[in-house]
């Protein structure tokens, strides 16, 4: 077989899969070529019987694995399958001769027909030229002919028999000064593509049969004018079809073309030599007939036999599959059945049967070639398959590879849950050892892996034995690979040119195999040593596996193939043995202590009612910290009580600062003693207990006062389920919020540490590497030392042999590398400051915290500055020490390294250092040293810089993150609750005793606060309630105060006793809810989240109610922040609104006077309240946005109203006068009065003003209800009917007795001119009749009709229409608004009127919807509605009556 003819060395199919560009020789492979017919490189085809591997060895390519054929179908039988359908149809221009057509007719039942061409062929076939003077002259004649044709403007297509000839032609033409750009090669389809080009004259295309079959070569018009494409065929094709294919490349689609054969007589078969072309073609046809006949007798018979045997195999395979359920086929984990618990899994069993069939076919190839009896062969095949199948169902097989596939799947299943079961993997690997002892290293290795995972009895010694056996077998593999490499190199003679001169693929393959085995051997040795170490220490072992691809750092194609081969043999993972972490009991105890602290903190917060709230919250915070520490300890498997004790000592010490500086001294000495080792944990515990005594002593006085003074009250509180539930709920919520906060900040701290360190590492890595590399490469002493070390492993005899390609033995090279590695004292390059850091960090923590508590005063400030200076100095020195410089390398590292090499014999400079491989190894060693040293400096410097920079960063990040997380979790609400509890406790304690006389400075500081008490815009505080109840302002009454949410759920309850025991109490109820906007959508949600993150709190809205002694609720009508005083006045005095407001203002002023007259009495509570407001930033417990619920509703109505009037042309006028605004008459008038007072500079305008531009128009008029009341009082039947039909309307009419002026009736703000123009106002006869109509409709109880008539008659434009239709003449008023604006604001008011009457119950929901649609459709302006016509008839009757009266008068 000749390269370039039957096969080529080119990139295999893997190059396309890996998207390899360029000529990467690692992907070179033996590619068969179909040179006789198509010329195509068959990249997916591989020769069998070892031929492929022989050629790879011949050209020193990487040796591929042998493969077997398991699925068999020939082209012959593939096309025969179409006969069962509609048959075979097709069109071909090269069907062949008569023998070919008869063959198709016999086997495929086809008939052939000749179809005339559409155009006349312009093909010119020139005479055949046979060159008999040898190959060189033949090549020369081809080149001359091609060049001559090209020079006359044609394009030449030269078709060669093989690639070798094509390459020779290319070289010859280029040497004859032919322009290389005019020569195009087309021998490889994927590399050369001529169909995308359009060739001009003078181009020459050199191709194999690849260019002569199905290739459309395009030429320009000038070429066609010169004769078209010239095809030069340089060989005599083996059949007519190939010849016609080649000639069919030219003269296509009616274009001109020329063809010519130029043959070398020496290359022709003996029968053709000396014959004319006609005789040659006749002989070729006779040979083709003979070939087809022989093929039918021999090859087709063999194909038929293989097809039958393959069908027999497929039939058995189908029967065998019935032994597996559908579930077992889909999931191999379900493959174990009760009958055959050890049977092979489905996929491995199928693979085993396919392997059995392939091996049987290979063994019986000779029987098939002899045409033995097919039935006998079928019987033999079935017997072999049956035997194999039965063994597989029993879990047995004689084939090593069958057990490998089964073991791989079972091992994968075991890895999912290691500790419970081996999932049958152990028995599979044991079976492999039994089948093939020599090649069972992988099986033994995997057995050791599974044995360690299961942790059965004596598992460590068993695993060591298995690993030792595997180790011995790997040594055998290494020896075999080395021998293979040597043998192959010897077998390749100089006659076989390697595919790549500078290192062949075979050499790289053997090197990769040896390196892989050595790396695997290292893993095995490491595992054995670790198991021995753990066995001595009596510790348990665990495995930490990684992919088999970690055996090599190389990622090239050849190495990857070697690793894939190992994977196919079952080595899917390699593992390291490590000590199994023991469960840390100390960390669990710390976790439990944290839980106990949290529970204790919750109980303290819940049961102390503000007495020890801060202590309880501190317990919760410390408990959460201990829980996190315990969790970290359990994960890491270690926990330090000393570190925990130091942290606790600092925490307790800080809590004792208020009791005296001596506590800090004790804590500091404790921390220092633990660090330096002068104190034990027991002594630290004693210090903690002693420190705790100070805490209890400091709390003793407070506790005694709390117990003696408020014991009964505390018991009452505990009995109050509301207070206790609220305390427990908020304490539990605080604990959960603290867990969330500390968990997030802990995770963020870890992320910051890792991220910043990686950032510094990436920034410093290249810089440090260049610095270290420059310093080391310029150091002559280091260069001499490395030369001495490398030459020590090179024998002097090498110089005598004068072998320039000398290679250092791999074993020696590894020993030299290990020697250099052991001499790298990298740890000494960076100094450690661990102990100094611990002391300074703890001192820094203590001093910073203490300085914060004591406001940076005195000695604490000095300690803080000193520790801060020491900390920054130490870290700065550390950073400087870890920056590589030439001085450090030359004065510190190199001398230390050379000291370790002193035992090596000096080098005598005999020339060994000039050997290329010595230079190569020395360079590798230097680069490795540079990498190691630069990495050590980079890691150390990055760690110190990260530690230095992240301290402040984490401080700010923790602050911001903790605040944001707390805000998101709502911690500020919980904190505010406990702040209120603590403040309430302090206020009660302060109110029970009179304060000391105030100094002048204190009096001035409180003066502004006292002055602000009477400000009505300031929310009331606990000071107001204490002054009211402790003075005589309420005649000794107490105040009982309850806060509920909008659902009536009790949130808190407070009691402020009065000065008289029998004075009674005022019971108030405050309903509060957050004021939130009800907007939907992602944007609104995002804004809400943003506000929550930044801690923006919603203001509260709500209202006060008075709780009467019988439990009934009386609403408080009030506004602004004076609502608490309004409630108190309304609870103690019944009066008009104006009187209540004035009295509330006066009462607030009296509270201020009371404080001013008795400053000492209230000094304590004033100081507490002022400090509380400054620190807590609380909006006020009794603060209500808008003053009351009605104000909140009005605010929402205002916003909706302003939105609705925007389309008006003169919306500013409507907004100024609130045109179309609806409400009860009293409220509208009060609001208008406020606006006028503001505009008039505070002058009261509640007095009558007939010149006002706006008026509140009752809808319907107030006279309607007063006259209706008179009617139902006179007619009991009408009264009863109204009461039954519309009870709410009946109540409004009855209320006319108490509200003759209509202050509580519905009204709408309109222009005065519009008010006067409406038929509901005035004293005209038509207006009176219209009001009578409304009165009668109201008495009838038809609320819907009454509203419709009211809206029609109250509208100025509809009223004008009614007058015009009735024949009444009245001049329209001059209005400042256009008709469209008038219609717009009346429609707004009418819609709101309908909604308000629905809320009052005058109409139901269905009537409301009908009325809203009626108004939207301008029904109140429509002259065709029944209500309009009824109003018009009423007016007309009045007009007719007036005219009759006038006629009688005449």
């Amino acid at each position: 077989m000749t390269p370039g003819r039957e096969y080529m060395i080119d990139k295999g199919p893997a190059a396309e899969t890996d998207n390899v560009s360029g000529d990467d020789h690692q992907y070179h492979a033996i590619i068969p070529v179909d040179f006789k017919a198509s010329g195509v490189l068959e990249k997916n085809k591989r020769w069998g019987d070892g031929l492929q591997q022989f050629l790879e060895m011949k050209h020193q390519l990487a040796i591929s694995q042998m493969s077997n054929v398991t699925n068999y179908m020939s082209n012959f039988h593939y096309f025969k399958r179409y006969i069962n359908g509609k048959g075979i149809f097709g069109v071909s221009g090269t069907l062949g001769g008569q023998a070919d057509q008869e063959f198709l007719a016999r086997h495929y039942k086809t008939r052939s027909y000749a179809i005339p061409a559409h155009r006349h062929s312009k093909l010119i076939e020139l005479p055949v030229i046979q060159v008999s003077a040898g190959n060189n002259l033949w090549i020369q004649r081809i080149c001359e002919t091609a060049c001559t044709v090209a020079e006359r403007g044609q394009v030449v297509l030269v078709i060669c028999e093989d690639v070798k000839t094509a390459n020779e032609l290319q070289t010859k033409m280029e040497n004859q000064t032919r322009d290389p750009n005019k020569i195009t090669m087309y021998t490889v389809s994927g590399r050369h593509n001529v169909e995308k080009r359009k060739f001009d004259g003078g181009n020459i295309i050199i191709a194999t049969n690849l260019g002569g079959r199905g290739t459309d070569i395009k030429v320009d018009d000038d070429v066609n004018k010169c004769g078209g494409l010239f095809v030069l065929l340089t060989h005599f094709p083996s059949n007519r079809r190939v010849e016609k294919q080649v000639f069919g490349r030219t003269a296509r689609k009616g274009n001109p073309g020329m063809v010519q054969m130029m043959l070398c007589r020496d290359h022709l078969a003996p029968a053709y030599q000396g014959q004319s072309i006609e005789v040659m073609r006749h002989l070729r046809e006779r040979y083709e007939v003979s070939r087809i006949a022989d093929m039918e007798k021999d090859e087709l018979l063999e194909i038929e036999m293989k097809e039958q045997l393959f069908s027999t195999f497929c039939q058995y395979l189908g029967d065998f599959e019935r032994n597996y359920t559908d579930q077992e086929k889909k999931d191999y984990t379900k493959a174990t059945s009760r009958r055959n618990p050890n049977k092979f899994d489905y996929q491995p069993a199928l693979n085993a049967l396919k392997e059995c069939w392939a091996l049987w076919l290979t063994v019986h190839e000779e029987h098939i070639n002899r045409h033995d009896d097919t039935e006998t062969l079928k019987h033999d095949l079935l017997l072999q398959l049956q035997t194999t199948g039965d063994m597989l169902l029993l879990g047995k097989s004689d084939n090593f590879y069958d057990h490998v596939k089964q073991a791989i799947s079972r091992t994968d299943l075991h890895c999912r849950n290691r500790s419970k079961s081996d999932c049958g993997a152990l028995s599979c690997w044991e079976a492999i050892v039994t089948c093939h002892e020599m090649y069972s290293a992988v099986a033994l290795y995997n057995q050791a892996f599974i044995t360690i995972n299961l942790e059965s009895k004596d598992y460590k010694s068993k695993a060591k034995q298995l690993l030792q056996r595997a180790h011995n077998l790997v040594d055998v593999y290494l020896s075999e690979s080395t021998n293979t490499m040597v043998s192959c190199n010897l077998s390749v003679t100089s006659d076989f040119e390697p595919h790549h001169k500078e290192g062949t693929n075979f050499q790289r393959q053997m090197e990769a195999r040896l390196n892989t085995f050595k790396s695997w051997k290292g893993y095995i040795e490491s595992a054995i040593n670790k198991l021995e170490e753990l066995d001595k220490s009596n510790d348990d072992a665990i495995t930490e596996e990684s992919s088999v691809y970690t055996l090599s750092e190389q990622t090239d194609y050849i190495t990857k193939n070697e690793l894939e081969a190992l994977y196919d043999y079952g080595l899917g993972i390699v593992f390291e043995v490590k000590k199994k972490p023991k469960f840390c009991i100390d960390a669990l105890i710390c976790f439990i202590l944290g839980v106990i602290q949290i529970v204790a903190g919750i109980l303290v917060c819940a049961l102390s009612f503000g007495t020890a709230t801060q202590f309880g919250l501190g317990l919760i915070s410390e408990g959460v910290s201990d829980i996190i520490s315990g969790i970290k300890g359990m994960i890491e498997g270690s926990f330090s009580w000393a570190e925990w004790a130091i942290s606790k000592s600092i925490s307790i010490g800080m809590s004792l600062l208020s009791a005296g500086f001596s506590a800090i001294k004790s804590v500091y000495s404790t921390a220092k003693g633990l660090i330096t080792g002068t104190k034990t944990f027991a002594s630290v515990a004693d210090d903690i207990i002693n420190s705790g005594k100070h805490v209890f002593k400091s709390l003793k006085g407070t506790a005694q006062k709390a117990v003696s003074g408020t014991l009964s009250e505390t018991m009452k509180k505990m009995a109050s389920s509301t207070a206790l539930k609220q305390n427990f709920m908020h304490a539990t919520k605080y604990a959960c919020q603290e867990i969330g906060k500390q968990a997030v900040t802990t995770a963020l701290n870890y992320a910051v540490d890792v991220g910043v360190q990686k950032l510094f590492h990436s920034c410093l890595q290249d810089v440090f590497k260049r610095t270290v590399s420059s310093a080391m490469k310029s150091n002559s002493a280091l260069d001499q030392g490395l030369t001495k070390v490398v030459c020590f492993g090179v024998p002097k005899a090498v110089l005598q042999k004068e072998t320039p390609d000398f290679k250092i033995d791999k074993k020696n090279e590894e020993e030299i590398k290990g020697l250099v590695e052991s001499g790298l004292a990298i740890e000494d390059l960076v100094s450690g400051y661990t102990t100094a850091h611990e002391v300074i960090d703890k001192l820094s923590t203590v001093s910073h915290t203490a300085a914060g508590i004591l406001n940076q005063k005195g000695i604490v400030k000095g300690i803080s500055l000193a520790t801060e200076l020491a900390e920054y100095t130490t870290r700065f020195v550390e950073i400087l020490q870890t920056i590589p410089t030439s001085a450090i390398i030359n004065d510190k590292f190199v001398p230390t390294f050379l000291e370790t090499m002193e035992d090596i014999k000096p080098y005598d400079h005999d020339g060994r250092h000039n050997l290329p491989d010595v230079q190569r190894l020395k360079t590798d060693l230097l680069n490795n040293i540079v990498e190691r040293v630069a990495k050590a400096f980079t890691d150390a410097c990055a760690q110190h810089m990260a530690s230095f920079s992240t301290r402040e960063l984490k401080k700010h990040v923790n602050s911001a993150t903790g605040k944001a997380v707390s805000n998101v979790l709502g911690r500020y609400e919980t904190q505010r609750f406990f702040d209120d509890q603590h403040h309430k406790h302090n206020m009660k304690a302060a109110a029970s005793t009179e304060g000391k006389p105030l100094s002048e400075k204190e009096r001035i500081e409180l003066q502004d606060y006292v002055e602000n008490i009477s400000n009505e815009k300031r929310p009331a505080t606990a000071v107001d309630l204490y002054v009211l109840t402790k003075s005589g302002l309420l005649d000794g009454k107490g105040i009982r105060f309850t806060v509920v949410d909008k659902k009536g759920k009790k949130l808190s309850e407070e009691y402020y006793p009065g000065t008289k025991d029998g004075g009674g109490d005022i019971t108030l109820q405050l309903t509060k809810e957050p004021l939130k906007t009800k907007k939907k959508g992602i944007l609104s949600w995002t804004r809400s989240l943003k506000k929550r993150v930044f801690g923006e709190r919603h203001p509260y809205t709500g209202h006060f109610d008075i709780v009467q002694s019988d439990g009934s609720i009386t609403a408080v009508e009030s506004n602004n922040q004076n609502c608490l005083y309004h409630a108190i006045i309304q609870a103690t005095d019944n009066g008009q609104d104006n009187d209540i407001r004035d009295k509330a203002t006066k009462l607030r002023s009296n509270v201020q006077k009371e404080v001013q007259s008795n400053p000492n009495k209230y000094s304590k509570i004033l100081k507490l309240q002022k400090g509380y407001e400054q620190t807590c930033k609380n909006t006020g417990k009794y603060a209500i946005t808008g003053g009351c619920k009605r104000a909140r509703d009005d605010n929402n109505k205002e916003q909706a109203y302003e939105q609705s009037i925007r389309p008006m042309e003169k919306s500013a006028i409507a907004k100024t006068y609130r045109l179309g605004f609806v409400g009860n008459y009293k409220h509208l008038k009060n609001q208008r009065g406020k606006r006028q007072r503001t505009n008039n500079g505070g002058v009261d305008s509640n007095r009558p003003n007939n010149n006002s531009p706006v008026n509140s128009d009752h809808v319907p008029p107030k006279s309607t209800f007063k006259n209706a009341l008179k009617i139902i009082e006179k007619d009991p039947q009408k009264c009863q009917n109204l009461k039954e039909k519309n009870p709410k309307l009946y109540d409004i009419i009855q209320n006319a007795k108490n509200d003759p002026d209509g202050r509580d009736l519905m009204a709408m703000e309109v222009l005065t001119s519009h008010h006067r123009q409406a038929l509901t106002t005035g004293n005209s006869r038509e207006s009176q009749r219209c009001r009578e109509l409304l009165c009668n409709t109201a008495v009838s109880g038809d609320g819907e009709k009454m509203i419709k008539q009211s809206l029609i008659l109250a509208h100025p434009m509809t009223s004008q229409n009614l007058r015009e239709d009735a024949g009444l003449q009245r001049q329209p008023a001059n209005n400042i608004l256009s008709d469209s604006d008038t219609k717009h604001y009346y429609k707004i008011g009418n819609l709101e009127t309908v909604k308000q009457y629905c809320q009052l119950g005058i109409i139901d929901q269905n009537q409301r919807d009908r009325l809203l649609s009626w108004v939207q459709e301008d029904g109140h302006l429509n002259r065709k509605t029944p209500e309009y016509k009824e109003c018009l008839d009423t007016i007309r009757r009045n007009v007719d009556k007036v005219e009759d009266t006038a006629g009688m008068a005449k």
Side-chain angles (χ1 to χ4, degrees), residues 1319 1326 1329-1330 1333-1334 1337 1345 1348-1353 1358 1362 1366 1425-1438:
L1319 284 170
E1326 59 269 20
R1329 295 296 176 266
C1330 288
L1333 174 64
L1334 291 173
T1337 304
K1345 184 177 180 181
K1348 284 185 177 182
Q1349 292 174 346
S1350 301
L1351 299 182
I1352 291 172
L1353 296 173
T1358 313
L1362 285 169
T1425 61
E1427 293 79 15
Y1428 181 89
K1429 293 178 179 179
E1430 187 174 358
C1431 293
L1432 182 59
D1433 291 342
T1434 300
I1435 297 173
R1436 281 176 174 172
R1437 284 197 299 271
N1438 177 66

Side-chain angles (χ1 to χ4, degrees), residues 1024-1254:
D1024 299 68
L1025 294 173
Y1026 275 112
V1027 174
L1028 287 169
T1029 54
K1030 298 299 180 183
S1031 65
L1033 296 176
L1034 296 181
D1035 297 329
K1037 294 181 182 295
I1039 297 177
R1040 190 174 298 278
F1041 196 85
T1042 305
V1043 181
V1044 298
D1045 60 13
K1046 62 180 181 180
K1047 296 181 180 180
K1049 181 181 178 181
K1050 192 179 293 187
L1051 301 178
S1052 64
E1053 189 173 12
E1054 302 174 15
Y1055 178 60
Y1056 300 87
T1059 55
K1060 295 181 181 179
D1061 293 337
D1065 295 326
I1066 299 172
T1067 305
L1068 300 178
Q1069 179 176 286
L1070 173 59
T1071 303
K1072 297 182 70 174
E1073 58 177 301
L1075 182 62
K1076 299 180 181 179
T1077 55
K1078 297 182 179 179
K1079 293 182 180 180
K1080 297 182 179 180
I1082 186 66
L1083 186 60
S1084 176
W1085 181 85
T1086 305
R1087 289 175 180 171
S1088 177
L1089 179 62
K1090 180 180 178 182
K1091 289 182 179 180
R1092 191 171 182 88
V1093 169
F1094 286 98
E1096 296 183 22
R1097 305 175 187 179
H1098 293 288
Y1100 277 93
T1101 183
H1103 60 279
F1104 277 97
D1105 295 313
I1106 302 171
V1107 182
Q1108 305 294 348
S1109 57
D1110 58 356
S1112 61
I1113 303 295
T1114 302
V1116 175
E1117 299 294 338
S1118 58
N1119 55 14
N1120 63 48
Q1121 300 297 352
N1122 210 28
C1123 50
L1124 175 64
Y1125 285 92
H1126 278 245
I1128 293 172
I1129 292 299
Q1130 191 169 332
T1132 56
D1133 186 6
N1134 293 324
Q1136 295 298 323
D1137 289 347
N1138 292 339
D1139 295 337
I1140 292 176
R1141 184 173 63 251
D1142 295 340
K1143 289 180 180 179
T1145 303
K1146 184 178 180 180
L1147 179 61
R1148 190 159 197 160
S1149 178
N1150 291 337
V1151 169
Q1152 180 188 17
K1153 294 177 181 178
E1154 169 68 17
V1155 175
Q1156 290 174 338
S1157 61
N1158 299 290
N1160 296 337
K1161 179 178 180 181
Y1162 302 108
S1163 61
K1164 283 188 175 182
I1165 62 173
L1166 287 171
K1167 290 178 182 178
L1168 284 172
Q1169 185 64 33
K1170 182 181 178 182
Y1172 178 70
E1173 292 178 6
Q1174 290 176 346
T1175 56
C1176 293
K1177 305 291 184 184
N1178 202 331
T1179 56
K1181 185 185 296 186
Y1182 315 109
I1184 299 177
T1185 301
C1188 62
K1189 187 175 186 300
R1190 185 198 307 170
R1192 189 271 312 271
D1193 296 338
D1194 287 347
N1195 185 44
N1196 294 338
K1197 286 174 62 178
E1198 286 281 349
Q1199 294 178 0
Y1201 168 75
E1202 292 180 3
Q1203 184 72 22
S1204 63
I1205 64 172
R1206 286 180 182 176
M1208 294 178 63
E1209 295 178 4
K1210 296 183 179 181
S1211 58
I1213 296 176
K1215 183 176 180 180
T1216 301
Y1217 296 123
R1218 291 294 187 266
L1219 299 181
F1221 201 84
V1222 176
N1224 64 59
Y1225 180 82
K1226 175 182 62 177
H1227 181 64
L1228 292 179
K1229 190 174 180 181
N1230 289 339
Q1231 292 297 321
R1232 190 175 348 124
K1234 289 181 182 178
R1235 292 196 299 272
Q1236 290 176 353
R1237 284 198 300 272
T1238 302
N1239 297 332
N1240 296 336
V1243 178
D1244 189 3
S1245 63
N1246 279 335
R1247 59 182 181 274
N1249 185 1
N1250 296 327
N1251 296 324
S1252 176
V1254 292

Side-chain angles (χ1 to χ4, degrees), residues 1352 1414 1418-1430:
I1352 291 172
W1414 184 76
D1418 291 332
H1420 54 289
L1421 299 174
N1422 192 345
R1423 296 183 177 185
K1424 297 180 180 180
T1425 61
E1427 293 79 15
Y1428 181 89
K1429 293 178 179 179
E1430 187 174 358

Side-chain angles (χ1 to χ4, degrees), residues 494-535:
S494 59
D495 296 334
F496 298 149
E497 184 178 355
H499 74 105
H500 193 261
K501 295 181 179 180
E502 297 178 2
T504 64
N505 284 1
F506 177 75
Q507 291 172 337
R508 298 194 65 168
Q509 184 185 31
M510 290 297 103
E511 289 176 2
R513 185 172 298 179
L514 288 170
N515 291 336
T516 301
F517 283 142
K518 287 179 181 179
S519 179
W520 183 25
K521 181 180 176 181
Y523 271 94
I524 295 174
E525 291 173 348
S526 174
I528 293 173
N529 294 334
K530 191 64 178 179
L531 285 172
E532 290 176 350
E533 176 187 332
L534 295 176
D535 204 11

Side-chain angles (χ1 to χ4, degrees), residues 761-800:
H761 192 280
S762 62
C763 295
L764 299 173
Q765 187 174 9
D766 293 337
V767 179
F768 282 12
K769 187 175 180 180
R770 286 196 296 268
T771 304
V772 173
S773 177
S774 176
M776 288 190 176
K777 289 181 180 179
S778 61
N779 191 295
S780 59
L782 179 62
D783 182 74
Q784 294 175 8
L786 290 176
T787 301
K788 179 179 71 171
V789 172
V790 176
C791 291
F792 177 73
V794 178
K796 291 185 178 182
V798 174
L799 298 175
Q800 299 174 358

